Amino acid sequence: MSTPGDVTVHVPGGGGFKALSPRAALRRYALISFLTWLPPGLTMASMILLMTSRGLDLAAVGMVLSVQAIVVVVLELPTGGLADVLGRRVLLAVSALFSVAGLALLAVATSVWPFVVASVLKGVARALSSGPAQAWYVDTLHAARGREADLKPGLARGEAMGSVSLCVGTLTGGFMPLVLPGGLATPMIAAAVAAAVLFAVVLVAMPEPPHPRPTIGSVMRDVPVTIGAGLRLGLRDRALSRLLVVSFAIGAGLYSIEVLTPGRLASLTGEAESASSVYALVASAGFAASAFGSWSAPWAARLLKGSVPAAVAGTVVGAAALGTLAATTVLTGVSGVAAAGAAYVVMFAAMGVAALLRAEMMHGRVGSSQRATLMSVDSLQLQFGGMVSSLGLGLLASRAGTAPAWWAAAAAVLVSALLYVRLPAAGTPPE
């Protein structure tokens, strides 16, 4: 007998599968999104301080952080293919276990190589978690309501919960060392516990349609095929190609914010310690603004009569906020901090709107069998944008100052808005 929260879906070769109702799937997706981003939020304010307090210089810290980025780039597509072959729940559960291991090691590491191993484990976890939860929600909603179901409200809830989690985690992790024993290691332990909770929730809260258990040989064959099909899809579909280039530009813009803002705040406050606390407050405000932007994206699409106009508006406002951030570099003291914080918040709110609507457009152009792979391609583009800008904008900032680097990032984001113009209509992708 079906319960009010179930919908019977007939899966080829699998009989009747009792899928979740849209409301139940939305609640679980929101919870999983919150728990997925809670561990990185808890460690954000203290991780670099922990490494430096245990003897690593800034060069070693940079090397440790770059290892994680390299691991994510290398594994992004293979893990996306695995999610489409093995299932979303398996990949997300394994990701949680890698997070537990990496964060636990981070809490006790005392030299550079244990920190490197922890960074590798965290990079694997990040690559594994890129896309499965969102792909699972979209598949569940399509199973219950068909491919014409409106994705915006559910995607908005999930993105907003992820941003809220980062906001709460950053504030909580920033103050934990002050009020709990264990010092800077305390947020790492708390993050490991949060990742363990995510593992348990994923196992019980993400039912998937039955599918044949693949052998190791079939996985080795099917994953490259799935990756290749996903890449070909992105190249053949002109709209997807454009949306993926937008992702590259956004990655460059976000890098400029994350890397250059702490130094800018340090120059305004006069010392690294106060800059760290101010940055924790500014970053948490930015995450809250991103949550608001994701939540308000459906409203923006209705107001502007379509997802594309709303995405364009969000991208343009985000670029303008980046330009404003560059302009605030002439200010000093409290006025400089306030102006920079305001521009930071506006940028994240606007980009939250654009990101949500861009995700909806991408999901409408791909079938279930390639959905997680496409999300990994999208995440990979973000990473590439960050890596390329780390070379170009980093060099520009070191030679010409922070403002020119932010102006260049603003220009890149603004130009990417043109890619939405006359975006080809979506067809009906195969499942």
Side-chain angles (χ1 to χ4, degrees), residues 102-127:
L103 292 165
L105 180 57
L106 193 63
V108 300
T110 57
S111 61
V112 64
W113 290 113
F115 279 115
V116 168
V117 174
S119 191
V120 170
L121 292 171
K122 289 171 58 190
V124 173
R126 179 68 185 90

Side-chain angles (χ1 to χ4, degrees), residues 33-412:
S33 296
F34 183 91
L35 291 174
T36 297
W37 288 105
L38 186 56
L42 287 168
T43 62
M44 183 170 294
S46 302
M47 183 173 63
I48 292 178
L49 292 173
L50 174 69
M51 288 190 279
T52 55
S53 70
R54 293 182 176 174
L56 275 67
D57 59 20
L58 291 180
V61 169
M63 185 267 288
V64 169
L65 296 179
S66 66
V67 166
Q68 180 174 339
I70 292 170
V71 171
V72 173
V73 167
V74 170
L75 295 182
E76 193 70 74
L77 284 180
T79 54
L82 278 173
D84 284 329
V85 173
L86 296 178
R88 287 75 159 104
R89 180 172 61 179
V90 172
L91 266 289
L92 202 54
V94 173
S95 168
L97 291 179
F98 271 98
S99 286
V100 171
L103 292 165
L105 180 57
L106 193 63
V108 300
T110 57
S111 61
V112 64
W113 290 113
F115 279 115
V116 168
V117 174
S119 191
V120 170
L121 292 171
K122 289 171 58 190
V124 173
R126 179 68 185 90
L128 288 169
S129 68
S130 176
Q134 190 176 100
W136 170 83
Y137 172 71
V138 173
D139 287 345
T140 303
L141 188 62
H142 282 171
R145 290 187 173 171
R147 292 197 57 85
E148 300 305 315
D150 185 4
L151 299 177
K152 287 190 288 293
L155 294 180
R157 178 78 64 85
E159 291 295 319
M161 289 302 292
S163 296
V164 167
S165 179
L166 286 168
C167 176
V168 172
T170 300
L171 287 175
T172 303
F175 285 97
M176 270 185 176
L178 300 178
V179 298
L180 295 175
L184 294 171
T186 304
M188 314 305 152
I189 298 171
V193 172
V197 172
L198 172 64
F199 172 74
V201 170
V202 166
L203 290 183
V204 300
M206 286 182 66
E208 288 190 291
H211 55 81
R213 289 183 177 275
T215 64
I216 294 178
S218 66
V219 169
M220 296 298 292
R221 291 192 303 271
D222 292 346
V223 168
V225 170
T226 303
I227 293 172
L231 290 173
R232 287 193 298 273
L233 178 64
L235 293 173
R236 286 199 310 265
D237 189 318
R238 289 181 299 161
L240 273 182
S241 297
R242 291 195 199 178
L243 295 173
L244 290 171
V245 174
V246 172
S247 185
F248 180 92
I250 298 305
L254 290 177
Y255 168 86
S256 73
I257 289 290
E258 294 174 1
V259 173
L260 300 179
T261 301
R264 167 61 179 156
L265 293 177
S267 68
L268 290 171
T269 60
E271 55 184 27
E273 290 77 9
S274 58
S276 177
S277 61
V278 171
Y279 180 63
L281 293 173
V282 171
S284 62
F287 292 136
S290 181
F292 174 78
S294 297
W295 174 80
S296 63
W299 172 83
R302 290 193 298 270
L303 179 67
L304 298 177
K305 303 186 185 307
S307 295
V308 170
V312 171
T315 304
V316 170
V317 172
L322 258 174
T324 302
L325 194 59
T328 65
T329 56
V330 300
L331 301 176
T332 59
V334 175
S335 61
V337 173
Y344 194 94
V345 166
V346 171
M347 192 212 74
F348 270 92
M351 300 304 285
V353 172
L356 188 283
L357 297 174
R358 188 174 61 85
E360 180 208 20
M361 296 177 208
M362 294 180 71
H363 281 299
R365 297 175 178 275
V366 67
S368 175
S369 62
Q370 296 172 334
R371 196 177 309 285
T373 299
L374 179 62
M375 293 299 95
S376 289
V377 174
D378 182 52
S379 179
L380 185 63
Q381 285 290 91
L382 281 169
Q383 296 287 337
F384 274 140
M387 290 176 65
V388 171
S389 66
S390 69
L391 298 175
L393 296 184
L395 182 62
L396 181 61
S398 65
R399 293 188 175 181
T402 300
W406 271 335
W407 281 119

